[in-house]
Amino acid sequence: MLRPRIIPCLLVKDKGLVKTTNFKNPKYVGDPINAVKIFNEKEVDELMIFDIDATKEKREPDYVMIEKLAEECRMPLCYGGGVTTAAQVQRIVQLGVEKVAVSSAAMQNSDLVSKASDLVGRQSVVVVLDIKKSFLGRKYEVWTRNGKRNTGNAPVELAQEMEKHGAGEIVINSVDNDGLMKGYDLPLAAKIREVIHIPLTILGGAGSLNDIGILINRFGTIGAAAGSLFVFKGVYRAVLINYPNRSEKDSLVSQNFHIN
């Protein structure tokens, strides 16, 4: 039986681990390899690592870094950043990465998703949709380039299109909630969940295990991803890599998980 996944999300900038707020003001929080080692010990369900500079700087993924991360990682790993071709997706999978995330390039060319899916299998192709509310808060729109470029696309239709083209998973990342630790955008999650039939992961806003419990309680089998929650501790946001232990996680899932 499929179960909910609780997923730390790590952001890499200049080879260091950072955390942002609303996709701005990156704060250095440590070394990515050290973070992976700690998460290994904590037996996390899955790990997502995004290089937030690669696309902006129009460079290829850092394959040396990716290989080191994959070699160290003992849990399923999803990498994203700078991926623009199906050949790059294949190369990254060959380095030992289970899933490869695409975003900007998929918005520009949906054939990338189809070709990558044909090469490595759709289970290894993830599409990330960075989403903001419009100025008046009346509708959601998909943005790219670290939240700098508005595609004008509605996330519901785009998620459906990406599934049609071969995406094996959709990650919904709320730019408005990023780093605020005030809870997930549940209405946004509901809109996407209603229209796709592939795994869905929600990112942006989790500030407590209770927020994850609320997400699981509402949606059942879903990916609950978080950044700040798993790298900060306390009201002063002291840097501390953390993750629920096995009993906490089992309790959280068993209390809130319902078969749909």
Side-chain angles (χ1 to χ4, degrees):
M1 181 179 67
L2 295 176
R3 288 166 56 91
R5 296 162 293 136
I6 301 174
I7 310 166
C9 177
L10 305 179
L11 306 180
V12 175
K13 178 179 175 61
D14 298 328
K15 300 187 185 299
L17 189 62
V18 301
K19 187 64 196 77
T20 58
T21 301
N22 302 132
F23 280 32
K24 301 174 183 176
N25 305 318
K27 176 183 177 181
Y28 178 77
V29 294
D31 176 74
I33 294 293
N34 287 340
V36 170
K37 290 179 179 178
I38 296 172
F39 282 128
N40 281 339
E41 295 174 358
K42 295 184 179 297
E43 300 180 335
V44 309
D45 295 332
E46 187 176 322
L47 192 62
M48 297 195 305
I49 299 180
F50 298 142
D51 183 336
I52 62 175
D53 281 337
T55 297
K56 180 179 68 174
E57 296 174 356
K58 298 181 179 180
R59 60 171 170 79
E60 286 211 27
D62 185 339
Y63 299 110
V64 173
M65 178 190 73
I66 294 169
E67 184 172 21
K68 290 179 180 178
L69 291 168
E71 287 176 349
E72 190 64 47
C73 213
R74 297 179 196 157
M75 73 291 289
L77 173 63
C78 175
Y79 168 83
V83 180
T84 59
T85 69
Q88 291 173 335
V89 173
Q90 185 178 46
R91 181 174 178 181
I92 292 169
V93 169
Q94 289 171 343
L95 293 175
V97 175
E98 282 76 14
K99 300 178 183 179
V100 180
V102 293
S103 183
S104 298
M107 307 302 109
Q108 297 167 1
N109 177 21
S110 57
D111 284 346
L112 165 62
V113 178
S114 303
K115 291 176 180 177
S117 180
D118 289 342
L119 276 177
V120 301
R122 71 181 301 158
Q123 76 285 343
S124 293
V125 180
V126 176
V127 174
V128 179
L129 303 182
D130 297 327
I131 299 170
K132 290 185 189 182
K133 285 184 178 179
S134 64
F135 179 70
L136 297 176
R138 294 177 180 173
K139 64 178 181 178
Y140 293 102
E141 295 172 320
V142 177
W143 292 62
T144 58
R145 308 285 176 176
N146 291 343
K148 301 293 194 302
R149 178 178 174 271
N150 187 355
T151 69
N153 290 315
V156 169
E157 288 79 5
L158 195 53
Q160 290 175 301
E161 180 184 348
M162 293 298 110
E163 179 179 11
K164 179 181 177 181
H165 280 279
E169 181 176 350
I170 301 292
V171 174
I172 297 301
N173 190 6
S174 171
V175 179
D176 298 315
N177 289 24
D178 174 56
L180 298 183
M181 303 182 74
K182 294 182 179 179
Y184 291 110
D185 188 331
L186 298 177
L188 172 60
K191 287 177 181 291
I192 305 299
R193 182 60 181 266
E194 287 174 0
V195 300
I196 65 171
H197 307 90
I198 55 177
L200 174 65
T201 291
I202 307 301
L203 175 62
S208 68
L209 293 182
N210 185 58
D211 289 331
I212 290 176
I214 291 171
L215 185 73
I216 293 172
N217 182 59
R218 180 160 179 180
F219 299 106
T221 304
I222 198 164
S228 298
L229 177 61
F230 297 130
V231 298
F232 294 135
K233 200 72 174 177
V235 294
Y236 297 107
R237 294 196 175 198
V239 176
L240 178 66
I241 302 294
N242 68 97
Y243 188 80
N245 61 40
R246 182 171 297 180
S247 62
E248 289 173 329
K249 185 170 64 175
D250 287 346
S251 175
L252 181 69
V253 171
S254 64
Q255 288 177 19
N256 294 284
F257 179 45
H258 305 287
I259 300 175
N260 295 330

